[in-house]
């Protein structure tokens, strides 16, 4: 008999649209108009399948024009967060007994519907977080990939697991879910990471509270609606947007919460890790924390590199989605022998970057996500102007949206603040390395270890980087962004997180525990 997994087509990544096809362009234009016509809609909490409107609202603003309210999401109180935990605890009793086949089927259905409505989701991301068309489509393609990939992974883990046979006994090992989890995603991959973290937890048999980022609560509300539409039972995913300090801490510290799946900044991740480590009265387990955190990612350009290719890779990695990717290149570490040539060529390349409303397809860069990001990135730019030589950008564009120029600062000391701290915006530091040894030393000199890239034509340098460049995702002669689900399992070392790999074969294990059963033959 063939297993369910064998009957399902092998996983394949969605192709990201480049919008060269006029039909795609027309569909995206129509989706942008359609989403715009729904601006200002209200999105309730969802607790045990019940929709609850609260007086207090989270306003999702269009960062390209913050006078436009993309949507108003209800904001959960402490009592509502507690009732969501109760609902998830109750739902777990039945959900944990559903088969992996049934759970996976919900994800396959959700993926199919998301694919059908892809442009609408793309358009929402353009308005809610300021993604260009291509970036928005990449995010939604990745969300679909996560649904498809984790569904197959759940089926794989449900198959008989190998144990060493022994005479006189029958032994088996099965993976069972953990319990109730808190899902706390960031806004920057507002579709992909939010959907991926939620899907991984529930397809493994857990029930969850989804607390989205306040900057991207509408896309999360759409996703929760989608899961209900495909029949995911009430209480499996409870939607509780709200303040991190008010309900976030309460949820993380609650004794009925079994695990926390977090993606976001180092500061919040460490806070959650600390809080989760305290045992609350009545708590029966040690909480598991999966934390994927920040980065300070470098592209090393060796003296023997193809300089033009490196310039292109650095520009795309640094300024795609305004540098607001955890994988974004924020440091180019360039060999002294080609340094001047690289700086000059990069300056020319960055000057060609178009910045403006991402709803207009002509713009490569949109706004940064909100006013506080604008402020903190601008502060870093001022620091950078003192720490190095400004060669491009350095200021705000216009006064309406949160637009910043792509900013490049050369001659930065490896220990300067803009070389060490995560800025999370369109700011690139260029650092001169004496030679390859020095470049490797600089590449590893931060507390992070997320992504990195090396441009070189020398196999021995590639071999050395494989050993020495301490990052979770290392690339050669290509950009440092754009990891594909299944192809480039993603996640970093050190202060970049708990060493997990989203979109990889180990990921679902983070949401399960193994039970061994032995029977005398
Ligand atoms: P953030 O840390 O500000 O927020 C992340 C999430 O935590 C949000 O949902 C927020 O509402 C919530 N939160 C805040 N305080 C909380 C609390 N006390 N309790 C519970 N939840 C709380 O991060 P962000 O600005 O949304 O995202 C950007 C950061 O995410 C960057 O540092 C980036 O590098 C990182 N990131 C990492 C990865 C990765 O895979 N390693 C991927 C994407 C983003």
């Amino acid at each position: 008999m063939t297993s369910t997994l064998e009957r399902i087509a092998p996983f394949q990544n969605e192709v990201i649209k480049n919008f060269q096809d006029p039909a795609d362009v027309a569909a995206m234009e129509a989706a942008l108009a359609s989403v715009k016509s729904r601006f200002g809609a209200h999105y309730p909490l969802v607790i045990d399948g019940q929709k609850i409107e609260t007086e207090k609202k989270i306003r999702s603003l269009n960062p390209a024009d913050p006078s436009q309210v993309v949507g108003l999401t209800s904001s959960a109180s402490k009592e509502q967060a507690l009732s969501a935990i109760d609902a998830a605890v109750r739902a777990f009793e039945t959900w944990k007994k559903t088969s992996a086949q049934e759970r996976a089927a919900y994800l396959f259905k959700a993926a199919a519907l998301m694919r059908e409505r892809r442009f609408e989701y793309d358009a929402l991301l353009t308005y809610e977080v300021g993604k260009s068309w291509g970036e928005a489509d990449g995010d939604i393609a990745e969300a679909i990939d996560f649904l498809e990939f984790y569904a197959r992974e759940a089926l794989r883990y449900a198959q008989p697991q190998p144990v060493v046979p022994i005479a006189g006994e029958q032994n088996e090992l099965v993976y069972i879910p953990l319990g109730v989890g808190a899902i706390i995603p960031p806004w920057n991959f507002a579709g992909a990471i939010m959907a991926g973290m939620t899907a991984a937890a529930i397809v493994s048999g857990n029930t969850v509270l989804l607390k989205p980022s306040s900057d991207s609560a509408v896309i999360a509300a759409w996703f929760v609606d989608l899961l209900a539409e495909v029949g995911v039972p009430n209480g499996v995913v409870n939607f509780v947007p709200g303040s991190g300090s008010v309900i976030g801490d309460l949820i993380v510290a609650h004794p009925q919460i079994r695990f926390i799946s977090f993606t976001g900044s180092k500061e919040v991740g460490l806070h959650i890790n600390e809080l989760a480590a305290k045992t609350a009265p009545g708590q029966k387990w040690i909480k598991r924390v999966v934390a994927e955190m920040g980065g300070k990612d470098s592209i090393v350009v060796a003296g023997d590199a193809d300089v033009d290719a490196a310039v292109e890779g650095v520009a795309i990695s640094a300024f795609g989605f305004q540098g607001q990717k955890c994988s974004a290149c924020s440091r180019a570490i360039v060999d002294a022998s080609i340094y001047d040539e690289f700086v000059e060529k990069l300056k020319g390349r960055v000057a060609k970057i178009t910045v403006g409303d991402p709803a207009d397809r002509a713009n490569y860069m949109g706004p940064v996500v909100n006013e506080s990001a604008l402020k903190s990135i601008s502060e870093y730019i001022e620091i950078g102007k003192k720490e190095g030589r400004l060669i491009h950008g350095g200021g705000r564009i216009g006064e309406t949206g949160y637009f910043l120029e792509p900013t490049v600062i050369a001659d930065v000391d490896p220990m300067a603040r803009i070389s060490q701290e995560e800025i999370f915006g369109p700011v690139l530091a260029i650092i001169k390395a004496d030679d390859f040894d020095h470049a490797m030393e600089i590449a590893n000199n931060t507390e992070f270890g997320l992504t990195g890239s090396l441009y070189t034509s020398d196999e021995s340098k590639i071999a050395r980087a494989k050993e020495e460049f301490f990052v979770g995702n290392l690339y050669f002669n290509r950009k440092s962004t754009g990891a594909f689900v299944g192809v480039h399992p993603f996640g970093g070392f050190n202060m970049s997180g708990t060493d997990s790999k989203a979109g990889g074969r180990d990921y679902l294990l983070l949401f399960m525990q193994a039970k061994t059963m032995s029977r005398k033959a």
Side-chain angles (χ1 to χ4, degrees):
M1 216 177 84
T2 54
S3 72
T4 315
L5 190 55
E6 282 161 354
R7 278 183 270 119
I8 290 169
F11 171 78
Q12 269 195 326
N13 297 102
E14 288 290 311
V15 176
I16 299 172
K17 298 196 184 298
N18 58 14
F19 293 100
Q20 296 304 310
D21 181 344
D24 287 345
V25 174
M28 184 67 178
E29 300 278 12
L32 284 162
S34 154
V35 171
K36 197 168 196 172
S37 73
R38 282 173 273 162
F39 273 6
H42 287 210
Y43 299 91
L45 313 178
V46 183
I47 299 175
D48 206 8
Q50 306 303 307
K51 298 195 166 189
I52 303 163
E53 279 270 355
T54 62
E55 213 163 285
K56 194 171 166 207
K57 306 276 189 215
I58 294 168
R59 286 150 52 89
S60 265
L61 308 179
N62 177 359
D65 179 355
S67 69
Q68 297 176 347
V69 181
V70 176
L72 292 150
T73 311
S74 285
S75 177
S77 63
K78 285 188 174 179
E79 292 68 33
Q80 283 156 336
L82 290 172
S83 102
I85 295 175
D86 285 347
V89 169
R90 284 195 305 276
F92 182 60
E93 289 312 308
T94 43
W95 183 246
K96 69 182 179 188
K97 293 179 188 152
T98 57
S99 66
Q101 284 74 12
E102 188 182 327
R103 297 194 300 251
Y106 292 123
L107 266 55
F108 287 131
K109 280 188 207 157
L113 277 187
M114 203 179 243
R115 203 176 282 117
E116 255 174 46
R117 301 170 191 167
R118 178 150 167 179
F119 294 108
E120 296 261 310
Y121 280 96
D122 289 356
L124 177 57
L125 286 184
T126 295
Y127 287 129
E128 194 174 26
V129 292
K131 291 210 167 190
S132 67
W133 292 21
E135 292 288 348
D137 192 65
D139 190 327
I140 296 306
E142 190 177 350
I144 297 169
D145 282 352
F146 276 134
L147 293 167
E148 293 277 353
F149 184 81
Y150 292 143
R152 286 171 176 77
E153 282 295 284
L155 296 173
R156 185 169 71 79
Y157 280 113
Q159 289 179 332
Q161 299 296 315
V163 283
V164 174
I166 195 167
E169 268 184 13
Q170 285 171 351
N171 292 305
E172 60 180 316
L173 180 145
V174 295
Y175 288 108
I176 63 171
L178 295 173
V180 176
I183 307 295
I184 308 178
W187 53 264
N188 72 327
F189 279 86
I193 296 183
M194 177 275 304
M197 289 167 69
T198 308
I202 65 170
V203 82
S204 309
N206 306 286
T207 56
V208 301
L209 274 70
L210 168 58
K211 196 214 83 57
S213 163
S214 300
D215 288 305
S216 57
V218 172
I219 182 105
W222 280 28
F223 182 65
V224 170
D225 272 353
L226 182 77
L227 293 179
E229 189 178 340
V230 300
V232 172
N234 291 347
V236 172
V237 178
N238 300 281
F239 183 54
V240 284
S243 141
S245 55
V246 178
I247 65 158
D249 282 0
L250 176 142
I251 296 168
V252 169
H254 195 279
Q256 298 271 34
I257 294 291
R258 177 67 179 81
F259 67 95
I260 296 106
S261 176
F262 167 83
T263 306
S265 62
K266 179 193 98 177
E267 289 70 25
V268 176
L270 291 181
H271 168 73
I272 286 176
N273 189 47
E274 208 175 312
L275 201 56
K278 288 197 185 119
T279 314
Q283 185 178 318
K284 282 174 94 182
W285 43 64
I286 298 172
K287 289 180 191 179
R288 204 180 276 182
V289 176
V290 181
E292 306 188 35
M293 313 194 305
K296 189 73 196 170
D297 310 311
S298 305
I299 294 186
V300 173
V301 187
D304 48 48
D306 173 341
V307 176
D308 293 329
V311 162
E312 187 60 23
V314 167
I316 291 172
S317 306
F319 300 113
F321 189 36
Q322 298 77 268
Q324 301 171 116
K325 300 183 189 181
C326 51
S327 54
C329 168
S330 56
R331 315 193 306 166
I333 302 167
V334 184
D335 191 281
S337 63
I338 51 156
Y339 187 83
D340 292 342
E341 180 191 357
F342 178 89
V343 170
E344 211 39 46
K345 285 184 167 167
L346 186 77
K347 190 176 166 185
R349 174 64 182 82
V350 175
K352 291 190 190 135
I353 291 177
T354 45
V355 187
D357 187 349
D360 177 347
R361 187 162 66 107
N363 290 320
Y364 179 76
M365 261 178 60
V368 298
V369 73
N370 59 29
E371 200 171 351
S372 94
L374 180 77
K375 190 163 171 280
S376 84
I377 300 163
S378 302
E379 282 168 11
Y380 271 114
I381 291 175
E382 292 315 309
I383 294 168
K385 285 177 184 169
K386 294 192 195 99
E387 288 184 330
R389 173 169 56 103
L390 180 73
I391 62 155
H392 191 273
R396 186 176 179 180
I397 301 176
E399 281 169 11
T400 310
Y402 306 131
F403 296 100
L404 281 168
E405 291 177 296
T407 296
V408 183
I409 297 166
D411 307 347
V412 175
D413 183 88
M415 294 313 290
R417 282 187 67 191
I418 65 158
S419 169
Q420 291 292 319
E421 298 171 21
E422 188 182 43
I423 301 172
F424 219 57
V427 183
L428 173 74
I430 311 183
I431 303 166
K432 191 190 281 188
D434 300 339
D435 52 24
F436 189 63
D437 285 344
H438 190 211
M440 278 292 102
E441 188 191 311
I442 300 168
N444 287 331
N445 79 355
T446 77
E447 61 183 344
F448 297 106
L450 192 46
T451 74
S453 184
L454 166 64
Y455 279 82
T456 181
S457 54
D458 177 356
E459 283 303 323
S460 72
K461 291 194 179 74
I462 290 181
R464 260 193 71 188
K466 282 184 177 177
E467 291 229 324
E468 292 176 23
F469 202 157
F470 196 64
V471 291
N473 286 72
L474 179 59
Y475 301 101
F476 296 106
N477 296 321
R478 55 150 286 180
K479 61 181 180 163
S480 65
T481 54
F484 283 132
V485 171
V487 179
H488 313 108
F490 188 85
F493 304 145
N494 292 347
M495 283 299 175
S496 293
T498 46
D499 321 308
S500 54
K501 281 281 183 279
R505 286 166 65 92
D506 307 330
Y507 192 67
L508 284 202
L509 286 178
L510 301 168
F511 305 95
M512 300 190 286
Q513 51 198 341
K515 181 169 182 177
T516 305
M517 291 170 281
S518 298
R519 178 180 178 155
K520 202 165 165 56

